[in-house]
Amino acid sequence: VSWLKFSGSPHPMEELNKSMEIIRSVLCQNVKSESILLGAGCFWHVEFALRRLPGVIDTKVGYAGGSFPSPTYDDVCNKKTNHAEVVKVTFDPTVLDPRRLLDCFFAMHDPTMVKAHGEYAQFSGQYRSCVFVFSNHMEEIAKCALEECRRQLGKMLSTEISVLRMDEFWEAEARHQRHDERVMKKAAGDVETLMDVDWLRTYGKRASSIWGTSETIMVMCDDSNDDGMARMMI
C-alpha cells in the first residue's frame, strides 16, 4: 500500500491536484494512523528512505529531545540545544506494523556507537540514534525492538527511547522537508514504495546478517562479510 502518489510534489510551487487532495482527505479521515519520531543521522536521508516503506502516510523532518522550544537549524547545528534531527513518521499500523517499522529503523543505521562524541554522542548529538514516541504502548514496542536488536548484535546500543508530547516535536524549516527528493528533482510519482526485502537491500547497512525478529527470523546463507550488526525484516 503506497501513499506516495497522494503526497504531492516536494517542490513548494507545485500543489497536489484537486482530485488527489479529495482522495487523500477521505483516506486520512478513515484510516487509523500512528506517529513516531526516528533519528538515525541526517534527517534528509532518513526521511527519503522511510517514505518508501509501505504504509507510511506522511513524513516531516524536525527536532526533538532538546532543552528549549522552537529551535532553528542553526541552533541545533551550534550544539547548544541537545536536539536530535528526527523524522516524524505517520503510518497506518494495519499496513506497516510498528515493530516492523522499528526493525527497519535499526537496520538502516549503526545503533552501537555508545562511546561516540560530537554529532553522534548519546543523548546530546544532533545525529544520535533515538526513538521518541507519544504513548506508553509505543514505548513498550520500541523497547522490545531495541532489546531484540541488542540480543542479535551482542553489543550495547546507544539508542535513546523516550515518551514525548506532540508539542515537543519542532518541525524543521521548509527547505529541509523532502530535501533529497527536491535535490534529485523527483516528482511525487518518481519515488516508488519498496517491498520489505527490496527496502532492506537498498537501505540496510549490512550485506549479510540476520534478518528478522525472534518471531519471524530468517538467516541469510552467506554471512562471510557480516560484522555482527543485525539486519532485520519481518
Side-chain angles (χ1 to χ4, degrees):
V1 177
S2 174
W3 283 76
L4 291 178
K5 65 180 66 176
F6 302 115
S7 61
S9 170
H11 306 284
M13 300 304 293
E14 299 175 14
E15 298 181 354
L16 193 64
N17 69 54
K18 279 295 181 184
S19 60
M20 286 297 192
E21 282 183 7
I22 293 170
I23 294 171
R24 178 181 173 82
S25 177
V26 171
L27 286 172
C28 287
Q29 291 173 23
N30 291 278
V31 171
K32 177 184 176 183
S33 67
E34 297 267 7
S35 292
I36 191 170
L37 307 179
L38 301 174
C42 174
F43 53 20
W44 294 346
H45 315 315
V46 176
E47 180 185 38
F48 183 76
L50 292 176
R51 283 179 62 79
R52 304 188 73 185
L53 281 170
V56 170
I57 297 171
D58 192 27
T59 57
K60 294 290 183 184
V61 299
Y63 318 109
S67 57
F68 74 87
S70 301
T72 66
Y73 185 69
D74 288 341
D75 291 333
V76 174
C77 289
N78 286 334
K79 302 176 178 59
K80 295 179 180 179
T81 73
N82 291 340
H83 285 89
E85 291 190 13
V86 297
V87 180
K88 181 181 180 182
V89 181
T90 301
F91 62 99
D92 179 352
T94 65
V95 176
L96 179 58
D97 184 84
R99 177 58 187 270
R100 191 161 111 210
L101 171 58
L102 285 159
D103 284 349
C104 289
F105 163 74
F106 283 116
M108 72 181 296
H109 76 294
D110 182 358
T112 67
M113 295 188 288
V114 176
K115 297 181 180 180
H117 299 281
E119 292 174 333
Y120 294 91
Q122 190 174 19
F123 303 117
S124 63
Q126 175 181 353
Y127 292 160
R128 67 186 183 270
S129 176
C130 54
V131 178
F132 298 118
V133 297
F134 301 113
S135 69
N136 293 332
H137 170 66
M138 287 293 290
E139 180 186 28
E140 186 61 31
I141 293 173
K143 287 181 175 179
C144 288
L146 180 70
E147 175 57 25
E148 180 69 18
C149 184
R150 185 205 60 75
R151 186 191 66 79
Q152 289 188 9
L153 295 181
K155 298 179 181 181
M156 294 296 293
L157 303 185
S158 64
T159 307
E160 170 187 359
I161 297 176
S162 297
V163 179
L164 298 183
R165 302 188 310 271
M166 283 285 187
D167 63 3
E168 291 180 293
F169 167 71
W170 307 98
E171 190 173 310
E173 298 84 343
R175 68 182 186 275
H176 296 297
Q177 306 299 331
R178 295 171 66 182
H179 174 275
D180 284 5
E181 287 179 58
R182 287 186 287 105
V183 168
M184 292 185 286
K185 295 182 170 57
K186 297 286 188 181
D190 293 338
V191 181
E192 296 180 351
T193 297
L194 299 176
M195 297 306 294
D196 299 335
V197 174
D198 293 329
W199 190 93
L200 286 165
R201 285 176 177 149
T202 302
Y203 297 109
K205 293 299 185 183
R206 295 298 180 270
S208 327
S209 186
I210 300 171
W211 288 14
T213 66
S214 56
E215 294 84 11
T216 54
I217 199 156
M218 217 173 107
V219 181
M220 303 307 292
C221 296
D222 177 16
D223 62 358
S224 58
N225 296 318
D226 181 40
D227 66 358
M229 180 176 171
R231 184 175 180 183
M232 303 179 186
M233 67 171 278
I234 59 102

